[in-house]
């Protein structure tokens, strides 16, 4: 049972937003492109890395909120394969902050029954980072609540290419090199095998692009872009995104039921 008292103070903005949310129609998987840390720091005349440091509070709040809403999955985009183009000092600080976050947060992930899984070319990260990531993954592997995926050294195209290579190796091994595969077999070999696709994709800082995130999985995700910079992203912004999500008419390429009857009538008239 969702405990509403843990999600909003009486009389708060969060409470009024929560009243607009239909708890029976929550998204099952929210994916977030956390963007705007650098601009947040710049606007305060601080070095970019201070934006990353401040963004950790937003990570904590987003994950905790997802757990309290009893969402099945949240995926956060933390470091892309393209982010290696950034200055060395910025990358080193990001990795240091990640290790610090994992060490500090493990106890709370455990007490909130959260399962932590890194996705991406994880083994391409510094060995000291990989060790911490694998440790947190292993420690939380038997938790049964929220699945918290963090995308690190992640690229959507890299994932698709890695999947193709994995499948080719598998088919070679089974001596089935001429097999024809289908979408569901392909999806079962992505980094996110066995995880439902995101139904809500959020991007902060107002940028209207996908930046190589979960390209396969977001085929039918609803997209919500908020101008707020990631370090300022709070529970109320997540609630706003869910309210927006619930206002959407998701058709998946079909038509609404009422409209489809109109089509049948039109067809009959035509015949
Ligand atoms: C997002 O913030 C964090 C990462 C990509 C690691 P940015 O660092 O991209 O911030 P901006 O976009 O430069 O403001
Ligand atoms: C996307 O943000 C990557 C992450 C949030 C980790 P970027 O800031 O790297 O994306 P672009 O460069 O604006 O497209
Ligand atoms: Mg950015």
């Amino acid at each position: 049972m969702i405990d509403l008292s843990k999600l909003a103070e009486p009389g708060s903005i969060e409470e009024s937003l929560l009243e607009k949310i239909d708890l029976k129609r929550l998204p099952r998987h929210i994916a977030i492109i956390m963007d705007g840390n650098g601009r947040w720091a710049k606007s305060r005349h601080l070095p970019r890395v201070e934006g990353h440091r401040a963004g950790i509070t937003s990570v904590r709040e987003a994950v905790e909120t997802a757990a309290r809403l009893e969402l099945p999955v949240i995926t956060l985009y933390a470091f892309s394969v393209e982010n290696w183009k950034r200055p060395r000092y910025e990358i080193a600080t990001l990795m240091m902050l990640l290790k610090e976050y994992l060490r500090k947060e493990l106890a709370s992930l455990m007490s909130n029954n959260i399962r932590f899984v890194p996705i991406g070319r994880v083994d391409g990260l510094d060995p000291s980072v990989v060790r911490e990531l694998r440790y947190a993954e292993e420690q939380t592997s038997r938790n049964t609540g929220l699945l918290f995926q963090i995308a690190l050294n992640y690229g959507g195209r890299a994932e698709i290419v890695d999947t193709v290579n994995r499948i080719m190796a598998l088919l070679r091994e089974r001596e089935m090199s001429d097999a024809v595969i289908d979408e569901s077999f392909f999806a079962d070999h992505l980094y996110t095998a066995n995880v439902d696709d995101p139904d809500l994709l959020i991007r902060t800082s107002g940028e209207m692009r996908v930046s190589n995130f979960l390209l396969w999985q977001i085929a039918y995700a609803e997209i919500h872009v908020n101008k707020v910079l990631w370090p300022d992203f709070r529970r109320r912004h997540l609630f706003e995104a869910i309210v927006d999500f619930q206002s959407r008419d998701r058709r998946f390429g079909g038509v609404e039921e009422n409209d489809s009857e109109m089509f049948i009538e039109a067809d009959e008239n035509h015949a």
Side-chain angles (χ1 to χ4, degrees), residues 33-35 77-80 83 86 203 209 211:
I33 303 174
M34 311 184 283
D35 198 17
Y77 198 9
F79 193 82
S80 74
N83 287 146
R86 294 189 178 204
R203 182 162 188 154
R209 57 176 172 266
S211 299

Side-chain angles (χ1 to χ4, degrees), residues 258-270:
N258 293 342
D259 291 351
S260 72
E261 279 163 26
M262 269 161 48
F263 274 118
I264 293 167
E265 267 171 38
D267 269 2
E268 281 168 354
N269 290 342
H270 199 73

